[in-house]
Amino acid sequence: MATNKFLLAAGIAVSCGLWTAELKADEGMWLPSLISERISDMQSKGFKLSEEDIYSINQASLKDAVVLFGGGCTGEVISPEGLLLTNHHCGYRQIQQHSSVEHDYLKDGFWAMSREEELPNDGLYVRFLERMEDVTAAVLKGYEDGMTEIQRDSVVNANSAMLTEKAEAEGKGLKADVESLYYGNQYFLFIYREYSDVRLVGAPPSSIGKFGGDTDNWMWPRHTGDFSIFRIYADKDNNPAPYSADNVPYKPKKFFKISASGVEEGDFTFIYGFPGKTSEYIMSEGVRYISEISDPSKIGLRTMRLDIQKKYMDESRAVRIQYSSKNASVANSWKKWQGEMKGIRRLGTVAAKQEYEKRFAEWAKGTEYEGILDRLDTLYAQLEPYAYAADWYNESAATAEIVKFATGYMKKWTEQMFSSSTVRIEELGREMEKMASAFYKDYYLPIDKESFAAVMTAYAENVPENFRPEYFNDGLRKFGNAEVWADSLFGKSVFADSLSFRTWKDSLSVICNDPATEFGDAFGKWYKDTIKPVTDSINREITLLYRDYMRGQMEFEPQKSFYPDANLTLRVAYGHIAGYSPSDGIYYTPVSTLDGIMEKDNPEIFDYDVPQRLREIYREKDFGRWGVTDSEGNKTVPVCFIATNHTSGGNSGSPAINAEGNLIGINFDRVWEGTMSDISFDPAFCRNICVDIRYVLFIIDRLAGAHHLIDEMVFTEE
Ligand code: ARG
Ligand code: ASP
């Protein structure tokens, strides 16, 4: 059976003893429950604690102070009363949703000065990992050699469902997932406790929390105070409970102590969090498609949308608030992909992988792995036009806001109407109303319409006719071009403004025949019927081969240690504080300070407009206990630092921990030259970026005056 061979291969690697030597320095995101395999390496690099301090199911350990925040970020508990730190950009959606022109918390910041002022957040939750266990044998029970991938999937799914159901029945608020590691060579069960009453406690103004904005995003030197503060609430027995005014602050098993003693180049650091997705073991063809075809296409389409958003956001403060969150998320991947493409090119990853594959193929002759790469190559060639069609669809037609709302609205309406006879019409009405007001609060039609015309024009020019819906080809013939089409669609749709929507919202026939609904339905149906079945089936075959190729790579290089690709499960990444050289003649030092904020200060530039109060504090050098004095006697405050930890999207908000296990910062980003680390880690360029905890405390203390929060925390000299 596949597992046994896999376990055998891993066993060889362990017993070989050489296995840390071959791994490039500081690459890797490790499973906490298997950290015993790394602990001596961690300790040799300066870590002072034991494996039990990192992960234990018998005693409180650091894992009990780390949470998955809102399904896409990480957070950490920093007080005995459930106070939680994460990034400003992770809490952005919540801060934005509580904001209006009158209470602009994005612009001015928000500080709850008492527990009563802490703001509840619909839909937000955090998850603590209770435990994780290898369930490979249980998941593959009933699997037999020779089964098809579909049959295997159904065995895996049925067994996983049983395991998760059993695990969730163990206690209140438990959520369980079975996750595949190493392309299904191994399976782990993760059991979490989920808390859904999570309230906003504090956020600095965006001129601090998002200082540098999208100009500095993914860049070093960086000066962003990227943090926000929440509090977890529980019922009176400390159990998870939905929001209720009677809930009380959660009492954690473990919380981080804070070290304000600072960081220096070379210091050991460790990031504990939830990286989302990496693809370190894919073959050259996969990398070529991403870096030469997919990334450039997606970047081009997003450039158009971002230019249009910027034009309108610059004109109006209300529009700036409405689109700030949407704009940041479009801009974020857009910029990352550009760094990734460049990094892959600079590293020569495609050629390096091709060379590796040649050696692999040579070695594989006569083994079960023979021919695997040729088969993968053929599948990639078959996949490419479909993947291309899907990428273009996702970044064009699928981004039209009015279309998304129309189809979403209709789907909900019809589903609820026809699914159950007991549905109460008033209740449904209220829900639909909630959905609509959330949409219209942040909708500005000119942006949507212009973006639609721009991306659909590019779509018409770049996607071959036979890989587009017939509906689109017909429409293009009818309207002549996407701009005329946009005039018609946005002119006629009842979803175009909230007034006409409210007039027609209950008329199913109007809604079904609306041009926005039609557009979304036609594309959705085309994707579901003609693209997805093909990509699904090819991807299934690719996964099957990757399962073998992964195992093959481990046998091929038994001296190398392998870590599973990220999949939004808890990982340990360790390294050290380090600068880097982005290009010839430049060396970046690893720590930035308040002086750098003042160097960038420019009231004319939105991203660099420092709050007046910060200017004053800087002038008076009134830094309290958070200031430092450099060798020349200059007083300043440390702001951000970089290190060699291997992180990814999802690691935002993760605790940056020192050798003694105390909190020294919050991870929030990576440097631009190193964003290819999701595909290929280069120790010379890959750096994660953290905000120094002293800057966070300085802002809470000196700028916000929220001393009561600092009083809750526990400080240590180490
Ligand atoms: N680049 C960081 C991460 O991927 C931070 C993004 C938020 N900031 C922004 N300016 N868009 O998520
Ligand atoms: N900024 C990313 C996040 O939000 C972190 C990264 O990609 O390094 O998770």
Side-chain angles (χ1 to χ4, degrees):
M1 202 167 68
T3 351
N4 297 339
K5 277 188 217 136
F6 169 75
L7 294 175
L8 195 67
I12 293 167
V14 178
S15 59
C16 195
L18 273 170
W19 74 327
T20 50
E22 278 279 307
L23 190 83
K24 286 177 274 168
D26 299 335
E27 173 173 357
M29 23 184 83
W30 311 96
L31 290 171
S33 64
L34 303 178
I35 205 66
S36 58
E37 291 165 10
R38 309 299 310 174
I39 197 76
S40 56
D41 188 47
M42 290 178 81
Q43 288 165 342
S44 77
K45 290 177 173 160
F47 190 52
K48 301 270 168 45
L49 307 184
S50 71
E51 55 194 82
E52 284 277 297
D53 295 318
I54 296 176
Y55 176 93
S56 170
I57 48 172
N58 305 313
Q59 65 187 51
S61 58
L62 292 179
K63 80 153 174 52
D64 299 314
V66 182
V67 296
L68 176 68
F69 180 90
C73 274
T74 305
E76 55 276 0
V77 183
I78 53 159
S79 94
E81 294 176 88
L83 203 61
L84 188 76
L85 269 185
T86 186
N87 291 141
H88 186 261
H89 80 262
C90 294
Y92 204 68
R93 184 102 198 102
Q94 283 73 35
I95 307 166
Q96 192 254 352
Q97 279 171 346
H98 291 296
S99 296
S100 59
V101 173
E102 297 77 50
H103 296 284
D104 193 345
Y105 300 141
L106 281 179
K107 180 167 165 291
D108 305 323
F110 167 79
W111 298 97
M113 286 303 177
S114 68
R115 298 279 156 89
E116 290 69 46
E117 286 174 17
E118 299 180 352
L119 299 172
N121 300 289
D122 211 15
L124 180 63
Y125 66 88
V126 297
R127 282 182 171 192
F128 290 90
L129 179 66
E130 290 273 304
R131 63 174 205 274
M132 55 194 282
E133 46 192 70
D134 188 335
V135 289
T136 313
V139 166
L140 292 178
K141 199 167 158 206
Y143 169 73
E144 280 159 27
D145 274 340
M147 275 187 172
T148 65
E149 195 59 5
I150 296 191
Q151 289 168 323
R152 187 184 189 273
D153 277 352
S154 68
V155 170
V156 167
N157 291 341
N159 288 334
S160 302
M162 250 156 55
L163 288 166
T164 53
E165 200 179 304
K166 187 160 159 262
E168 288 181 358
E170 282 173 24
K172 248 191 171 171
L174 293 183
K175 299 278 172 199
D177 290 321
V178 170
E179 300 286 353
S180 133
L181 301 171
Y182 300 110
Y183 295 93
N185 279 299
Q186 215 174 358
Y187 291 90
F188 265 77
L189 174 67
F190 293 84
I191 303 168
Y192 303 95
R193 195 175 295 272
E194 182 176 295
Y195 287 81
S196 57
D197 186 353
V198 183
R199 304 186 196 168
L200 179 64
V201 173
S206 292
S207 52
I208 287 174
K210 207 186 164 192
F211 182 77
D214 286 301
T215 317
D216 283 7
N217 190 21
W218 298 110
M219 308 267 260
W220 185 256
R222 188 66 157 278
H223 300 90
T224 311
D226 198 343
F227 77 95
S228 60
I229 310 181
F230 288 78
R231 191 187 304 280
I232 307 168
Y233 280 78
D235 69 14
K236 58 180 187 341
D237 302 317
N238 212 29
N239 281 320
Y243 169 80
S244 153
D246 298 335
N247 285 349
V248 292
Y250 166 72
K251 303 245 171 319
K253 284 191 226 163
K254 180 93 187 168
F255 62 90
F256 279 99
K257 289 191 188 136
I258 290 166
S259 166
S261 30
V263 298
E264 267 175 40
E265 182 133 29
D267 283 357
F268 176 88
T269 53
F270 146 30
I271 301 291
Y272 209 171
F274 290 87
K277 185 173 186 294
T278 60
S279 316
E280 310 284 347
Y281 308 105
I282 57 175
M283 79 173 286
S284 54
E285 265 309 284
V287 181
R288 183 192 60 78
Y289 176 74
I290 295 172
S291 60
E292 291 173 23
I293 306 206
S294 173
D295 279 355
S297 303
K298 297 190 293 190
I299 292 163
L301 287 165
R302 288 199 177 198
T303 304
M304 296 174 195
R305 288 165 61 208
L306 288 166
D307 286 347
I308 295 163
Q309 290 177 2
K310 180 170 183 330
K311 185 174 80 185
Y312 290 103
M313 288 169 78
D314 284 349
E315 277 172 10
S316 146
R317 201 169 140 212
V319 176
R320 175 173 288 283
I321 296 174
Q322 285 181 315
Y323 276 73
S324 53
S325 184
K326 295 177 193 170
N327 180 266
S329 78
V330 177
N332 194 40
S333 308
W334 167 81
K335 194 161 180 186
K336 187 204 141 175
W337 291 328
Q338 296 177 52
E340 181 173 88
M341 263 173 69
K342 275 189 99 165
I344 286 172
R345 219 171 282 160
R346 185 187 52 235
L347 255 182
T349 307
V350 176
K353 291 222 174 207
Q354 281 166 347
E355 195 274 328
Y356 171 87
E357 285 153 15
K358 256 199 216 132
R359 288 191 291 118
F360 179 90
E362 196 53 42
W363 166 86
K365 278 190 184 144
T367 72
E368 62 170 307
Y369 306 113
E370 182 165 356
I372 223 173
L373 286 163
D374 292 337
R375 293 207 295 281
L376 271 171
D377 203 53
T378 310
L379 287 169
Y380 269 119
Q382 288 168 5
L383 181 66
E384 187 157 323
Y386 290 90
Y388 183 81
D391 274 343
W392 273 81
Y393 162 57
N394 284 324
E395 289 291 328
S396 61
T399 63
E401 295 178 64
I402 194 173
V403 172
K404 273 192 285 184
F405 176 60
T407 44
Y409 184 84
M410 204 194 62
K411 190 158 166 266
K412 191 161 177 156
W413 216 88
T414 42
E415 261 174 22
Q416 304 237 1
M417 284 300 276
F418 300 120
S419 70
S420 123
S421 51
T422 59
V423 69
R424 298 257 310 278
I425 199 80
E426 314 87 75
E427 214 171 280
L428 178 59
R430 265 199 303 277
E431 252 182 69
M432 305 305 285
E433 181 51 40
K434 212 164 133 191
M435 183 176 168
S437 34
F439 175 76
Y440 288 111
K441 173 176 181 287
D442 292 332
Y443 184 64
Y444 188 61
L445 182 130
I447 291 185
D448 197 25
K449 184 177 162 193
E450 247 177 72
S451 301
F452 176 95
V455 295
M456 294 320 293
T457 302
Y459 181 83
E461 285 163 3
N462 286 280
V463 180
E465 247 185 81
N466 53 336
F467 280 92
R468 308 191 304 218
E470 238 356 272
Y471 164 86
F472 180 79
N473 297 333
D474 290 345
L476 204 58
R477 273 190 289 274
K478 178 171 141 204
F479 292 109
N481 62 47
E483 239 163 85
V484 179
W485 194 337
D487 282 339
S488 161
L489 189 151
F490 286 82
K492 290 196 184 126
S493 174
V494 301
F495 293 97
D497 66 86
S498 66
L499 223 65
S500 72
F501 167 73
R502 294 211 151 89
T503 315
W504 295 106
K505 68 181 179 27
D506 298 328
S507 164
L508 194 55
S509 71
V510 171
I511 285 169
C512 285
N513 296 316
D514 188 89
T517 324
E518 267 179 9
F519 185 94
D521 273 355
F523 265 92
K525 192 166 172 348
W526 159 83
Y527 178 73
K528 200 168 124 269
D529 293 347
T530 64
I531 302 295
K532 196 165 175 297
V534 183
T535 52
D536 279 357
S537 116
I538 301 177
N539 276 324
R540 221 177 281 126
E541 288 184 62
I542 288 182
T543 312
L544 173 71
L545 289 175
Y546 266 128
R547 193 171 316 127
D548 293 340
Y549 181 42
M550 185 75 236
R551 226 168 43 243
Q553 293 185 59
M554 293 170 119
E555 282 179 37
F556 176 50
E557 294 194 289
Q559 75 285 13
K560 179 175 159 179
S561 50
F562 288 82
Y563 54 92
D565 268 322
N567 56 357
L568 211 64
T569 58
L570 189 60
R571 302 298 174 93
V572 168
Y574 59 94
H576 57 281
I577 310 273
Y580 71 109
S581 171
S583 60
D584 186 38
I586 305 179
Y587 184 77
Y588 284 147
T589 54
V591 176
S592 67
T593 68
L594 197 52
D595 295 31
I597 295 185
M598 296 305 153
E599 280 169 18
K600 285 178 178 170
D601 183 15
N602 186 342
E604 305 292 306
I605 303 176
F606 184 83
D607 285 344
Y608 295 134
D609 189 5
V610 172
Q612 185 52 28
R613 178 80 192 107
L614 191 57
R615 291 190 189 114
E616 283 156 19
I617 296 174
Y618 183 69
R619 204 174 313 119
E620 291 153 16
K621 304 260 170 196
D622 187 10
F623 305 142
R625 54 199 270 224
W626 320 114
V628 294
T629 309
D630 67 16
S631 51
E632 268 117 65
N634 171 43
K635 266 176 82 182
T636 191
V637 181
V639 174
C640 293
F641 61 82
I642 49 175
T644 61
N645 303 289
H646 190 180
T647 55
S648 186
N651 267 124
S652 273
S654 301
I657 303 164
N658 68 7
E660 286 78 19
N662 299 316
L663 191 71
I664 52 172
I666 315 169
N667 186 73
F668 70 96
D669 209 4
R670 279 171 286 165
V671 304
W672 201 62
E673 297 84 358
T675 50
M676 72 297 182
S677 64
D678 290 346
I679 293 167
S680 188
F681 187 91
D682 180 352
F685 289 93
C686 292
R687 298 288 178 273
N688 61 314
I689 309 180
C690 304
V691 52
D692 193 303
I693 199 69
R694 290 169 296 176
Y695 186 57
V696 172
L697 297 165
F698 164 74
I699 296 297
I700 299 175
D701 180 14
R702 310 298 300 159
L703 204 95
H707 310 287
H708 60 293
L709 298 179
I710 297 192
D711 293 342
E712 270 186 53
M713 304 173 197
V714 175
F715 290 83
T716 155
E717 292 301 309
E718 294 187 311

